[in-house]
Amino acid sequence: MSLKILLLGAGGREHALTWKLAQSPLVEHIYVCPGNGGTNQEAKTSNLNISSNDFPQLVDFSVKSGVNLVVPGPEQPLVDGVETYFRKVGIPVFGPSPLAARMEGSKAFSKDFMARHSIPTAKYRVFQSSQIDDAIFYVKTCAHPVVLKADGLAAGKGVLIPQSEEDAIAGLRDILVANVFGTAGNQVVIEEQLFGPEISVLAFSDGYTVVPLPAAQDHKRIGEGDIGLNTGGMGAYAPAPVASPAIMKQIMEESLRPTIDGMRRDGFPFVGMLFAGFMLTENGPKVLEYNVRFGDPETEALMLLLDQKADLAAILLACAEHRLDSVPIPIRTGVAVAVILASAGYPGSYAKGKRIQIGDIPTDAVVFHAGTEEKSGEILTAGGRVLAATAYAQTLPEALKIVYQAVDQISFEGKTYRRDIAHRALNISNSTKGLTYEQAGVSVDAGNSLVEAIKPFVRSTRRVGADAEIGGFGGVFDLAACGYKDPVLVSGTDGVGTKLRVAVDAGVHDTVGIDLVAMSVNDLLVQGAEPLYFLDYYGCSKLDVPIASQVIKGIAEGCRRANCALIGGETAEMPGMYQPGDYDLAGFAVGAVERANILPSNDIRAGDILLGVASSGLHSNGFSLVRKILETSNLMYSSPCPWNPTVNLGQALMEPTAIYIKQILPTAQAGLIKGMSHITGGGFIENIPRVLPKELGCSIDASTWELPPVFRFLMMQGGVEPLEMARTFNNGIGMVLIVDGESADSVAEMLRKAGDAAIYKIGQVTNEVGVKMENIHVWNLV
């Protein structure tokens, strides 16, 4: 495939990308719009004299010129929706949609996203321009230093770091009242100020796969020693020594991967270069901000770290085509450094049109143009940041020596640069601090916070025999208080299978706890037992207190529905044992039944009637097949549900398992039920024989109830045969009861009065071993 690339931008970042793209054998030509005095000097490259903001004209040019890949450099075109313009004409773009670009375009949006997906970041509050008094009150009462961030794009200048409360209040008035950042300051994010080394991590993504490049450190201040005004960046180096392999692994697991997965789940998958700034705090890496494009000057250094075998054009195209995992991204060992040469006066006012002379540049150095233009055969200054001298070597001291040799070969009037680039890496102390349990990934404080958060839920499950208090070493239950005469204890344990995967991916955590309780207590019910108490296990890589609280709130709700007490549980935070963002659940229930009432009874015989009790949906079984079926469709969990458009698909699938205790237990205790079968994994075929005498079987008439829409959808979408449905799903019947034929009608009526689940007469016990499904063909009828 031959590529014609349209590259938008005019800075050092764009020249560095052009330089690397031109090395690709796939590339036929690169159009840089508008480019600078250096971009059109690269092989296979020409500058394009079209406004980079005129998207219709750019699309027209691209269609006529055969452009088949667009690479936006700066953020503004992405936020303004350039990707949409080219997508409409079928030209792939290495860059996010305008919805995904909000991650840089709105700091409030990105902070809310991080909070929603539990991505480590600073504490924050968002205030509108009309809330200036509330914002000032927050600054006065929050009890921590703050950072002020204008919500929108402000040319890299919308962040203020006040040195005092008075500075913070003045900054708020500047942003929200004086509108010094224009509409970008219509709202402000007030963040907790974080402390520690900063790093920049740039990562390729196709919406699914994410591949980070080595971490870089840039230098924002104009003056040596990090003093003076903020700039767009006066230099960068990579890899940053503070970003150890352990730190990078933590960043990948806690931030990058959850960001890419979260954006996809939220309906705006990210394609392009995700550029995240991190503060390496004592409590681990925390995201400072997201950018949705290559960084500058980080890109100038990183391009030199890409191995010669790394085909940048192939990588960018693979991202745009959602197949990043199909291309290698080899990285050179060693270090790259970029030093920015700026105009005198930058970042304030500066003169332009100064003649630039470049002498003999060392072999391992490259000079990238930024604010330059070519006039009459000469290269002149045309911006604040003029050039980026960049060098590669095996060690940082060697790279610095080469890059400053290159700097000495460049001259123009007013040349301004820093001589201390990478000083932080050179000054890293060999001293180390003792590790803590939290640094190992286990937060005792988070565990304590969870216990406090769930105590009200647990107390709501109190019943005779248990006070439902947690925090001790074990749970206590007073069986004598329940009035049993000759009790037998019945226990059961279960999980929720891969329904848990759907819960995590769909972000629906408040009902899966009900499922956990239902699976165990319904198993107690089939033996005639009353559930007495329940215990849970919650395991995760990193404890997310809000999510865990939702899950346990659901467990408490399930216990209330089953009239059993939640008397204890285990919360296990185990870094490395689970994938970030995932969690695992298990439940354990104990019940009691009078010895004389244990089910199944020994008088089940041919001719007894099978009553079917309606399910509430899929319950908690068959979800591996459900997920496989959904892979064949174009549906996401956020899509409208095909059989119930009032909710999304994830919510519909997560309808919790019915708990049948209150509807069925009184009838069982009255001796009117001979046996019960909980229809779980294995459907009718595998579960009903478990309650029948070995010499007996049963027949089920599938025409006696209507197959619910969810099962009809799965059967049709997946091409699943009716008999396979019968051995996998509950198909609308969650519990099967065996009753005497003569009393079947009266028992059915008693059950209908006791609860909301519909009752059907679905079959009978027979002398033929096994389960015979009759009239199952009706499931194929629309």
PDB file of all heavy atoms in Angstrom, residues 268-296:
ATOM      1  N   PHE A 268     -17.081   6.559  23.458  1.00  0.00           N
ATOM      2  CA  PHE A 268     -16.218   7.379  22.614  1.00  0.00           C
ATOM      3  C   PHE A 268     -14.796   6.799  22.637  1.00  0.00           C
ATOM      4  O   PHE A 268     -13.885   7.325  23.248  1.00  0.00           O
ATOM      5  CB  PHE A 268     -16.225   8.861  23.034  1.00  0.00           C
ATOM      6  CG  PHE A 268     -16.090   9.097  24.514  1.00  0.00           C
ATOM      7  CD1 PHE A 268     -14.850   9.335  25.085  1.00  0.00           C
ATOM      8  CD2 PHE A 268     -17.198   9.109  25.332  1.00  0.00           C
ATOM      9  CE1 PHE A 268     -14.719   9.563  26.452  1.00  0.00           C
ATOM     10  CE2 PHE A 268     -17.076   9.346  26.699  1.00  0.00           C
ATOM     11  CZ  PHE A 268     -15.829   9.576  27.256  1.00  0.00           C
ATOM     12  N   PRO A 269     -14.598   5.659  21.937  1.00  0.00           N
ATOM     13  CA  PRO A 269     -13.289   5.007  21.931  1.00  0.00           C
ATOM     14  C   PRO A 269     -12.196   5.939  21.424  1.00  0.00           C
ATOM     15  O   PRO A 269     -12.426   6.777  20.558  1.00  0.00           O
ATOM     16  CB  PRO A 269     -13.489   3.804  21.000  1.00  0.00           C
ATOM     17  CG  PRO A 269     -14.712   4.117  20.210  1.00  0.00           C
ATOM     18  CD  PRO A 269     -15.576   4.968  21.077  1.00  0.00           C
ATOM     19  N   PHE A 270     -11.009   5.783  21.986  1.00  0.00           N
ATOM     20  CA  PHE A 270      -9.905   6.686  21.664  1.00  0.00           C
ATOM     21  C   PHE A 270      -8.985   6.064  20.633  1.00  0.00           C
ATOM     22  O   PHE A 270      -8.440   4.981  20.838  1.00  0.00           O
ATOM     23  CB  PHE A 270      -9.098   7.023  22.916  1.00  0.00           C
ATOM     24  CG  PHE A 270      -8.007   8.023  22.653  1.00  0.00           C
ATOM     25  CD1 PHE A 270      -8.263   9.382  22.752  1.00  0.00           C
ATOM     26  CD2 PHE A 270      -6.736   7.618  22.274  1.00  0.00           C
ATOM     27  CE1 PHE A 270      -7.270  10.307  22.484  1.00  0.00           C
ATOM     28  CE2 PHE A 270      -5.740   8.527  22.010  1.00  0.00           C
ATOM     29  CZ  PHE A 270      -6.001   9.885  22.119  1.00  0.00           C
ATOM     30  N   VAL A 271      -8.783   6.776  19.530  1.00  0.00           N
ATOM     31  CA  VAL A 271      -7.823   6.402  18.492  1.00  0.00           C
ATOM     32  C   VAL A 271      -6.832   7.550  18.358  1.00  0.00           C
ATOM     33  O   VAL A 271      -7.236   8.698  18.174  1.00  0.00           O
ATOM     34  CB  VAL A 271      -8.516   6.144  17.148  1.00  0.00           C
ATOM     35  CG1 VAL A 271      -7.482   5.934  16.043  1.00  0.00           C
ATOM     36  CG2 VAL A 271      -9.441   4.936  17.238  1.00  0.00           C
ATOM     37  N   GLY A 272      -5.548   7.230  18.442  1.00  0.00           N
ATOM     38  CA  GLY A 272      -4.540   8.271  18.277  1.00  0.00           C
ATOM     39  C   GLY A 272      -3.460   8.154  19.325  1.00  0.00           C
ATOM     40  O   GLY A 272      -3.120   7.068  19.788  1.00  0.00           O
ATOM     41  N   MET A 273      -2.897   9.318  19.694  1.00  0.00           N
ATOM     42  CA  MET A 273      -1.833   9.375  20.691  1.00  0.00           C
ATOM     43  C   MET A 273      -2.411   9.947  21.982  1.00  0.00           C
ATOM     44  O   MET A 273      -2.783  11.117  22.041  1.00  0.00           O
ATOM     45  CB  MET A 273      -0.691  10.266  20.181  1.00  0.00           C
ATOM     46  CG  MET A 273       0.450  10.446  21.180  1.00  0.00           C
ATOM     47  SD  MET A 273       1.265   8.903  21.664  1.00  0.00           S
ATOM     48  CE  MET A 273       2.197   8.520  20.170  1.00  0.00           C
ATOM     49  N   LEU A 274      -2.505   9.109  22.999  1.00  0.00           N
ATOM     50  CA  LEU A 274      -2.937   9.576  24.317  1.00  0.00           C
ATOM     51  C   LEU A 274      -1.697  10.036  25.070  1.00  0.00           C
ATOM     52  O   LEU A 274      -0.767   9.257  25.298  1.00  0.00           O
ATOM     53  CB  LEU A 274      -3.641   8.463  25.086  1.00  0.00           C
ATOM     54  CG  LEU A 274      -4.170   8.865  26.466  1.00  0.00           C
ATOM     55  CD1 LEU A 274      -5.308   9.865  26.332  1.00  0.00           C
ATOM     56  CD2 LEU A 274      -4.630   7.637  27.242  1.00  0.00           C
ATOM     57  N   PHE A 275      -1.687  11.288  25.442  1.00  0.00           N
ATOM     58  CA  PHE A 275      -0.542  11.916  26.087  1.00  0.00           C
ATOM     59  C   PHE A 275      -0.995  12.334  27.479  1.00  0.00           C
ATOM     60  O   PHE A 275      -1.777  13.262  27.626  1.00  0.00           O
ATOM     61  CB  PHE A 275      -0.083  13.088  25.215  1.00  0.00           C
ATOM     62  CG  PHE A 275       0.847  14.087  25.852  1.00  0.00           C
ATOM     63  CD1 PHE A 275       1.602  13.800  26.970  1.00  0.00           C
ATOM     64  CD2 PHE A 275       0.988  15.349  25.284  1.00  0.00           C
ATOM     65  CE1 PHE A 275       2.453  14.731  27.536  1.00  0.00           C
ATOM     66  CE2 PHE A 275       1.834  16.297  25.823  1.00  0.00           C
ATOM     67  CZ  PHE A 275       2.561  15.985  26.960  1.00  0.00           C
ATOM     68  N   ALA A 276      -0.516  11.612  28.489  1.00  0.00           N
ATOM     69  CA  ALA A 276      -0.950  11.875  29.859  1.00  0.00           C
ATOM     70  C   ALA A 276       0.216  12.401  30.677  1.00  0.00           C
ATOM     71  O   ALA A 276       1.331  11.870  30.615  1.00  0.00           O
ATOM     72  CB  ALA A 276      -1.506  10.602  30.494  1.00  0.00           C
ATOM     73  N   GLY A 277      -0.055  13.459  31.429  1.00  0.00           N
ATOM     74  CA  GLY A 277       0.932  13.959  32.378  1.00  0.00           C
ATOM     75  C   GLY A 277       0.690  13.335  33.737  1.00  0.00           C
ATOM     76  O   GLY A 277      -0.452  13.224  34.186  1.00  0.00           O
ATOM     77  N   PHE A 278       1.760  12.907  34.406  1.00  0.00           N
ATOM     78  CA  PHE A 278       1.656  12.248  35.703  1.00  0.00           C
ATOM     79  C   PHE A 278       2.517  12.960  36.739  1.00  0.00           C
ATOM     80  O   PHE A 278       3.602  13.459  36.424  1.00  0.00           O
ATOM     81  CB  PHE A 278       2.125  10.790  35.624  1.00  0.00           C
ATOM     82  CG  PHE A 278       1.215   9.885  34.856  1.00  0.00           C
ATOM     83  CD1 PHE A 278       1.388   9.700  33.496  1.00  0.00           C
ATOM     84  CD2 PHE A 278       0.180   9.209  35.496  1.00  0.00           C
ATOM     85  CE1 PHE A 278       0.553   8.873  32.775  1.00  0.00           C
ATOM     86  CE2 PHE A 278      -0.657   8.375  34.773  1.00  0.00           C
ATOM     87  CZ  PHE A 278      -0.479   8.197  33.418  1.00  0.00           C
ATOM     88  N   MET A 279       2.025  12.966  37.962  1.00  0.00           N
ATOM     89  CA  MET A 279       2.827  13.355  39.114  1.00  0.00           C
ATOM     90  C   MET A 279       3.113  12.082  39.900  1.00  0.00           C
ATOM     91  O   MET A 279       2.180  11.344  40.264  1.00  0.00           O
ATOM     92  CB  MET A 279       2.083  14.353  39.991  1.00  0.00           C
ATOM     93  CG  MET A 279       2.913  14.881  41.152  1.00  0.00           C
ATOM     94  SD  MET A 279       4.151  16.083  40.620  1.00  0.00           S
ATOM     95  CE  MET A 279       3.128  17.552  40.464  1.00  0.00           C
ATOM     96  N   LEU A 280       4.384  11.827  40.156  1.00  0.00           N
ATOM     97  CA  LEU A 280       4.762  10.630  40.903  1.00  0.00           C
ATOM     98  C   LEU A 280       4.761  10.980  42.390  1.00  0.00           C
ATOM     99  O   LEU A 280       5.776  11.383  42.959  1.00  0.00           O
ATOM    100  CB  LEU A 280       6.133  10.126  40.446  1.00  0.00           C
ATOM    101  CG  LEU A 280       6.272   9.845  38.943  1.00  0.00           C
ATOM    102  CD1 LEU A 280       7.644   9.256  38.631  1.00  0.00           C
ATOM    103  CD2 LEU A 280       5.173   8.915  38.457  1.00  0.00           C
ATOM    104  N   THR A 281       3.602  10.837  43.015  1.00  0.00           N
ATOM    105  CA  THR A 281       3.438  11.209  44.416  1.00  0.00           C
ATOM    106  C   THR A 281       3.892  10.074  45.325  1.00  0.00           C
ATOM    107  O   THR A 281       4.172   8.955  44.873  1.00  0.00           O
ATOM    108  CB  THR A 281       1.966  11.539  44.724  1.00  0.00           C
ATOM    109  OG1 THR A 281       1.212  10.318  44.763  1.00  0.00           O
ATOM    110  CG2 THR A 281       1.385  12.467  43.660  1.00  0.00           C
ATOM    111  N   GLU A 282       3.925  10.348  46.617  1.00  0.00           N
ATOM    112  CA  GLU A 282       4.277   9.297  47.576  1.00  0.00           C
ATOM    113  C   GLU A 282       3.261   8.167  47.569  1.00  0.00           C
ATOM    114  O   GLU A 282       3.571   7.049  47.983  1.00  0.00           O
ATOM    115  CB  GLU A 282       4.384   9.897  48.983  1.00  0.00           C
ATOM    116  CG  GLU A 282       5.583  10.822  49.165  1.00  0.00           C
ATOM    117  CD  GLU A 282       5.704  11.310  50.596  1.00  0.00           C
ATOM    118  OE1 GLU A 282       4.757  11.061  51.385  1.00  0.00           O
ATOM    119  OE2 GLU A 282       6.724  11.934  50.917  1.00  0.00           O
ATOM    120  N   ASN A 283       2.053   8.456  47.097  1.00  0.00           N
ATOM    121  CA  ASN A 283       0.995   7.437  47.035  1.00  0.00           C
ATOM    122  C   ASN A 283       0.835   6.842  45.642  1.00  0.00           C
ATOM    123  O   ASN A 283      -0.190   6.239  45.335  1.00  0.00           O
ATOM    124  CB  ASN A 283      -0.335   8.036  47.497  1.00  0.00           C
ATOM    125  CG  ASN A 283      -0.307   8.437  48.953  1.00  0.00           C
ATOM    126  OD1 ASN A 283       0.264   7.729  49.785  1.00  0.00           O
ATOM    127  ND2 ASN A 283      -0.892   9.580  49.285  1.00  0.00           N
ATOM    128  N   GLY A 284       1.848   7.041  44.801  1.00  0.00           N
ATOM    129  CA  GLY A 284       1.806   6.455  43.473  1.00  0.00           C
ATOM    130  C   GLY A 284       1.542   7.484  42.390  1.00  0.00           C
ATOM    131  O   GLY A 284       1.260   8.659  42.669  1.00  0.00           O
ATOM    132  N   PRO A 285       1.628   7.074  41.122  1.00  0.00           N
ATOM    133  CA  PRO A 285       1.415   8.003  40.002  1.00  0.00           C
ATOM    134  C   PRO A 285      -0.036   8.475  39.942  1.00  0.00           C
ATOM    135  O   PRO A 285      -0.969   7.679  40.074  1.00  0.00           O
ATOM    136  CB  PRO A 285       1.752   7.148  38.769  1.00  0.00           C
ATOM    137  CG  PRO A 285       2.465   5.950  39.286  1.00  0.00           C
ATOM    138  CD  PRO A 285       1.980   5.724  40.669  1.00  0.00           C
ATOM    139  N   LYS A 286      -0.224   9.773  39.742  1.00  0.00           N
ATOM    140  CA  LYS A 286      -1.562  10.341  39.590  1.00  0.00           C
ATOM    141  C   LYS A 286      -1.601  11.189  38.328  1.00  0.00           C
ATOM    142  O   LYS A 286      -0.656  11.912  38.027  1.00  0.00           O
ATOM    143  CB  LYS A 286      -1.948  11.179  40.808  1.00  0.00           C
ATOM    144  CG  LYS A 286      -2.074  10.347  42.086  1.00  0.00           C
ATOM    145  CD  LYS A 286      -2.689  11.149  43.223  1.00  0.00           C
ATOM    146  CE  LYS A 286      -2.882  10.273  44.463  1.00  0.00           C
ATOM    147  NZ  LYS A 286      -3.559  10.994  45.559  1.00  0.00           N
ATOM    148  N   VAL A 287      -2.710  11.069  37.592  1.00  0.00           N
ATOM    149  CA  VAL A 287      -2.856  11.794  36.334  1.00  0.00           C
ATOM    150  C   VAL A 287      -3.072  13.278  36.619  1.00  0.00           C
ATOM    151  O   VAL A 287      -3.954  13.651  37.389  1.00  0.00           O
ATOM    152  CB  VAL A 287      -4.037  11.246  35.515  1.00  0.00           C
ATOM    153  CG1 VAL A 287      -4.216  12.068  34.236  1.00  0.00           C
ATOM    154  CG2 VAL A 287      -3.817   9.779  35.171  1.00  0.00           C
ATOM    155  N   LEU A 288      -2.251  14.118  35.971  1.00  0.00           N
ATOM    156  CA  LEU A 288      -2.431  15.563  36.049  1.00  0.00           C
ATOM    157  C   LEU A 288      -3.409  16.049  34.990  1.00  0.00           C
ATOM    158  O   LEU A 288      -4.272  16.888  35.248  1.00  0.00           O
ATOM    159  CB  LEU A 288      -1.089  16.271  35.874  1.00  0.00           C
ATOM    160  CG  LEU A 288      -0.052  16.044  36.976  1.00  0.00           C
ATOM    161  CD1 LEU A 288       1.277  16.679  36.582  1.00  0.00           C
ATOM    162  CD2 LEU A 288      -0.545  16.621  38.291  1.00  0.00           C
ATOM    163  N   GLU A 289      -3.248  15.531  33.776  1.00  0.00           N
ATOM    164  CA  GLU A 289      -4.121  15.939  32.676  1.00  0.00           C
ATOM    165  C   GLU A 289      -3.961  14.974  31.517  1.00  0.00           C
ATOM    166  O   GLU A 289      -2.986  14.223  31.442  1.00  0.00           O
ATOM    167  CB  GLU A 289      -3.784  17.358  32.205  1.00  0.00           C
ATOM    168  CG  GLU A 289      -2.379  17.487  31.611  1.00  0.00           C
ATOM    169  CD  GLU A 289      -2.087  18.883  31.108  1.00  0.00           C
ATOM    170  OE1 GLU A 289      -2.948  19.746  31.239  1.00  0.00           O
ATOM    171  OE2 GLU A 289      -0.980  19.096  30.567  1.00  0.00           O
ATOM    172  N   TYR A 290      -4.927  15.002  30.630  1.00  0.00           N
ATOM    173  CA  TYR A 290      -4.849  14.258  29.373  1.00  0.00           C
ATOM    174  C   TYR A 290      -4.630  15.236  28.218  1.00  0.00           C
ATOM    175  O   TYR A 290      -5.181  16.337  28.202  1.00  0.00           O
ATOM    176  CB  TYR A 290      -6.149  13.511  29.089  1.00  0.00           C
ATOM    177  CG  TYR A 290      -6.469  12.365  30.009  1.00  0.00           C
ATOM    178  CD1 TYR A 290      -7.589  12.411  30.841  1.00  0.00           C
ATOM    179  CD2 TYR A 290      -5.692  11.208  30.024  1.00  0.00           C
ATOM    180  CE1 TYR A 290      -7.919  11.354  31.677  1.00  0.00           C
ATOM    181  CE2 TYR A 290      -6.009  10.148  30.855  1.00  0.00           C
ATOM    182  CZ  TYR A 290      -7.119  10.226  31.667  1.00  0.00           C
ATOM    183  OH  TYR A 290      -7.444   9.159  32.483  1.00  0.00           O
ATOM    184  N   ASN A 291      -3.831  14.801  27.248  1.00  0.00           N
ATOM    185  CA  ASN A 291      -3.779  15.450  25.948  1.00  0.00           C
ATOM    186  C   ASN A 291      -4.089  14.382  24.911  1.00  0.00           C
ATOM    187  O   ASN A 291      -3.861  13.191  25.138  1.00  0.00           O
ATOM    188  CB  ASN A 291      -2.405  16.067  25.685  1.00  0.00           C
ATOM    189  CG  ASN A 291      -2.039  17.097  26.744  1.00  0.00           C
ATOM    190  OD1 ASN A 291      -2.557  18.202  26.745  1.00  0.00           O
ATOM    191  ND2 ASN A 291      -1.159  16.729  27.668  1.00  0.00           N
ATOM    192  N   VAL A 292      -4.581  14.788  23.771  1.00  0.00           N
ATOM    193  CA  VAL A 292      -5.058  13.813  22.787  1.00  0.00           C
ATOM    194  C   VAL A 292      -4.232  13.859  21.503  1.00  0.00           C
ATOM    195  O   VAL A 292      -4.730  13.554  20.434  1.00  0.00           O
ATOM    196  CB  VAL A 292      -6.551  14.039  22.479  1.00  0.00           C
ATOM    197  CG1 VAL A 292      -7.381  13.808  23.729  1.00  0.00           C
ATOM    198  CG2 VAL A 292      -6.817  15.439  21.933  1.00  0.00           C
ATOM    199  N   ARG A 293      -2.939  14.196  21.641  1.00  0.00           N
ATOM    200  CA  ARG A 293      -2.059  14.333  20.478  1.00  0.00           C
ATOM    201  C   ARG A 293      -0.608  14.176  20.947  1.00  0.00           C
ATOM    202  O   ARG A 293      -0.339  14.035  22.144  1.00  0.00           O
ATOM    203  CB  ARG A 293      -2.272  15.688  19.804  1.00  0.00           C
ATOM    204  CG  ARG A 293      -2.563  16.866  20.727  1.00  0.00           C
ATOM    205  CD  ARG A 293      -1.408  17.339  21.547  1.00  0.00           C
ATOM    206  NE  ARG A 293      -1.745  18.328  22.552  1.00  0.00           N
ATOM    207  CZ  ARG A 293      -0.843  18.891  23.356  1.00  0.00           C
ATOM    208  NH1 ARG A 293       0.420  18.553  23.279  1.00  0.00           N
ATOM    209  NH2 ARG A 293      -1.215  19.770  24.276  1.00  0.00           N
ATOM    210  N   PHE A 294       0.316  14.176  19.999  1.00  0.00           N
ATOM    211  CA  PHE A 294       1.730  14.133  20.330  1.00  0.00           C
ATOM    212  C   PHE A 294       2.115  15.375  21.135  1.00  0.00           C
ATOM    213  O   PHE A 294       1.645  16.483  20.861  1.00  0.00           O
ATOM    214  CB  PHE A 294       2.578  14.093  19.054  1.00  0.00           C
ATOM    215  CG  PHE A 294       2.582  12.770  18.347  1.00  0.00           C
ATOM    216  CD1 PHE A 294       1.721  12.522  17.294  1.00  0.00           C
ATOM    217  CD2 PHE A 294       3.466  11.774  18.733  1.00  0.00           C
ATOM    218  CE1 PHE A 294       1.735  11.319  16.621  1.00  0.00           C
ATOM    219  CE2 PHE A 294       3.496  10.560  18.072  1.00  0.00           C
ATOM    220  CZ  PHE A 294       2.631  10.324  17.015  1.00  0.00           C
ATOM    221  N   GLY A 295       2.992  15.185  22.127  1.00  0.00           N
ATOM    222  CA  GLY A 295       3.478  16.315  22.914  1.00  0.00           C
ATOM    223  C   GLY A 295       4.622  17.025  22.211  1.00  0.00           C
ATOM    224  O   GLY A 295       5.277  16.485  21.321  1.00  0.00           O
ATOM    225  N   ASP A 296       4.852  18.268  22.618  1.00  0.00           N
ATOM    226  CA  ASP A 296       5.937  19.068  22.051  1.00  0.00           C
ATOM    227  C   ASP A 296       6.593  19.824  23.202  1.00  0.00           C
ATOM    228  O   ASP A 296       5.917  20.619  23.872  1.00  0.00           O
ATOM    229  CB  ASP A 296       5.350  20.053  21.029  1.00  0.00           C
ATOM    230  CG  ASP A 296       6.398  20.724  20.159  1.00  0.00           C
ATOM    231  OD1 ASP A 296       7.586  20.630  20.510  1.00  0.00           O
ATOM    232  OD2 ASP A 296       6.021  21.339  19.155  1.00  0.00           O
TER     233      ASP A 296
END
